[in-house]
Amino acid sequence: MDWQTSEDTVPSAPVTEADARLLLGRPPATGAWRDGDPAGERRFAQFGAFATEGGASLPGIRLAYETWGELSPARDNAVLILHALTGDSHVRGEAGPGHATDGWWGEIVGPGAPIDTDRWFVVAPNILGGCQGSTGPASIAPDGYEWASRFPFLTIRDQVAAQVMLADALGIDVWAGVVGGSMGGMHALEWAVTHPERVERLGVLCSPPTTTADQVALNSVQLAAIQMDPRFAGGHYYDAPDGDGPHRGLSLARRMALLNYRTPTELNQRFQRSWQSDKSPFGEGGRYAVESYLDFHGNRFTRRFDANSYLTLVEAMNSHDVGRDRGGVEDALARVTARTLVLGIDSDRLFPVEGQHRISRGIRTTIDDDTVVLHSDFGHDGFLIETEAVGRHLRRLLES
């Protein structure tokens, strides 16, 4: 298993001894990108005061973003790609200084790829509240300390409002396409509902029209896992030495999430009842291979993410409801004028296809009669793993 590859983008696999050795060091208090770290391929856009839906304000915000391709003289070939909960701006490219993992959609975006950077100018920001260069809880506040628990509550609409500021700064009045999966699909849908005149094509992948009570419940136990870690310290842990941050709580939250992202079929086929070592798990201190898989990826996650950002972004996901203050979901979806692809995965137990079907029924400008439903054993993460099938449909959208 490649240390530099995000677990979201590959099938599950047993953990080897070589994998485990990579994580022998003590995890940092935060895996956030910090000022002074290598910028990698990031660019940065600075903005002034930002007011949230809830009435809070930030004196200034920054969005980190990456681009590929060239913006046409008419500025009519720009495609916005919006990442999932634990993603970032590094859609394509190798891991290296400033980037903990390889790009998460490298087979989808690039020269000759479904989102062809020889034709399209692709922009991918790290969302507001994230921890990979954009303003978030790990950023330094005006008083010289991290925002930490003082960082304001954000909604999906707040994050889209920040993306609108970025589009304006880049001189992009209309996106040729806005594409997002999972949490990114929430942002993409909000773009098309709030600013229909600025979105020509829309791709919503494995995302719901609202976050349901069941999904909020699943999120709530992840939040509690972090907050109950004694080393979370109410969110003020940034000065803690390696190994003394809230890595146990963050790791547990990630392990819970992975169970929602994948399927029983995949886990049962990949691991069956195999042991991780020769030591028996029957009271002799041994472990099942699937337990080690979850532990490994939970531990690895703490080295590239921030606990406070995880809370901020999950709570933003909980806010998602395109129908809020718009007369309901169907009235909101009727505002969309973009040519739209709605895609789901038949085994997705995080955001089941019923939600995508509701989006398809509500948008009058879909390029298909109904949702495109892909068969996959990989569950919710299928939109990141089944790149051949997903790419074929995205190419069709962009050619429409």
Side-chain angles (χ1 to χ4, degrees):
M1 184 177 297
D2 186 354
W3 157 252
Q4 305 290 7
T5 301
S6 171
E7 61 271 25
D8 299 323
T9 63
V10 293
S12 302
V15 176
T16 68
E17 291 185 11
D19 292 330
R21 282 196 296 271
L22 292 169
L23 300 182
L24 288 177
R26 294 160 69 84
T30 176
W33 184 92
R34 313 296 292 273
D35 286 320
D37 290 343
E41 300 302 317
R42 293 177 183 83
R43 304 180 184 188
F44 300 95
Q46 302 279 354
F47 304 101
F50 183 86
T52 71
E53 271 199 282
S57 63
L58 291 165
I61 63 169
R62 176 181 68 191
L63 290 186
Y65 67 100
E66 295 180 48
T67 69
W68 301 267
E70 298 292 333
L71 185 61
S72 66
R75 298 180 177 270
D76 61 356
N77 70 329
V79 174
L80 178 65
I81 294 183
L82 301 164
H83 65 75
L85 170 66
T86 61
D88 55 33
S89 64
H90 201 50
V91 172
R92 67 169 283 108
E94 295 181 353
H99 301 293
T101 59
D102 291 341
W104 53 267
W105 234 12
E107 295 182 18
I108 296 290
V109 178
I115 302 180
D116 186 354
T117 53
D118 289 334
R119 177 183 179 187
W120 304 106
F121 175 63
V122 177
V123 180
N126 180 220
I127 58 176
L128 184 66
C131 63
Q132 290 301 316
S134 293
T135 299
S139 301
I140 302 299
D143 61 4
Y145 296 93
E146 290 85 1
W147 282 102
S149 63
R150 301 175 296 165
F151 195 77
F153 178 88
L154 296 178
T155 66
I156 294 294
R157 296 181 192 181
D158 288 327
Q159 293 166 329
V160 169
Q163 295 161 15
V164 170
M165 296 168 73
L166 176 62
D168 292 344
L170 295 174
I172 299 170
D173 295 326
V174 178
W175 293 104
V178 177
V179 177
S182 192
M183 186 180 191
M186 299 176 182
H187 292 118
L189 195 57
E190 274 293 339
W191 259 101
V193 170
T194 308
H195 304 284
E197 74 288 352
R198 301 191 69 167
V199 182
E200 287 188 347
R201 300 173 184 84
L202 172 68
V204 179
L205 315 180
C206 299
S207 188
T210 68
T211 301
T212 66
D214 178 61
Q215 291 151 6
V216 171
L218 293 171
N219 288 340
S220 71
V221 293
Q222 296 174 46
L223 301 182
I226 294 171
Q227 293 164 332
M228 292 172 68
D229 185 331
R231 292 175 176 171
F232 179 63
H236 298 276
Y237 50 79
Y238 293 103
D239 291 334
D242 289 356
D244 286 342
H247 60 275
R248 289 187 175 88
L250 182 58
S251 173
L252 180 56
R254 179 61 170 174
R255 288 154 60 194
M256 293 174 180
L258 282 173
L259 293 177
N260 295 323
Y261 299 159
R262 298 304 175 97
T263 67
T265 297
E266 185 196 11
L267 296 179
N268 290 336
Q269 289 180 347
R270 293 281 175 178
F271 300 102
Q272 300 182 38
R273 289 184 53 80
S274 60
W275 302 357
Q276 179 61 30
S277 67
D278 292 337
K279 186 179 291 187
S280 170
F282 293 105
E284 297 179 16
R287 313 194 72 212
Y288 291 102
V290 71
E291 293 179 292
S292 291
Y293 162 78
L294 291 173
D295 282 352
F296 174 79
H297 287 295
N299 188 3
R300 191 171 78 163
F301 180 67
T302 65
R303 297 160 195 263
R304 69 172 181 88
F305 219 79
D306 177 67
N308 277 321
S309 266
Y310 198 92
L311 298 180
T312 297
L313 300 187
V314 169
E315 288 175 340
M317 288 179 67
N318 286 347
S319 79
H320 174 57
D321 178 359
V322 295
R324 176 169 56 86
D325 299 327
R326 293 168 173 160
V329 168
E330 279 63 39
D331 283 354
L333 294 174
R335 299 184 184 191
V336 177
T337 59
R339 299 190 291 279
T340 301
L341 166 72
V342 184
L343 182 145
I345 304 292
D346 62 356
S347 56
D348 190 340
R349 55 180 174 177
L350 178 62
F351 297 136
V353 293
E354 288 81 2
Q356 287 99 64
H357 284 311
R358 189 176 184 188
I359 295 172
S360 294
R361 290 194 299 267
I363 294 178
R364 301 165 183 169
T365 51
T366 55
I367 63 172
D368 302 290
D369 292 335
D370 201 350
T371 303
V372 173
V373 180
L374 301 182
H375 171 69
S376 175
D377 289 338
F378 299 123
H380 182 68
D381 278 349
F383 82 93
L384 296 168
I385 298 173
E386 306 282 6
T387 52
E388 182 178 354
V390 171
R392 183 170 64 251
H393 291 291
L394 287 174
R395 191 186 296 273
R396 192 165 56 87
L397 170 67
L398 291 176
E399 291 175 351
S400 67

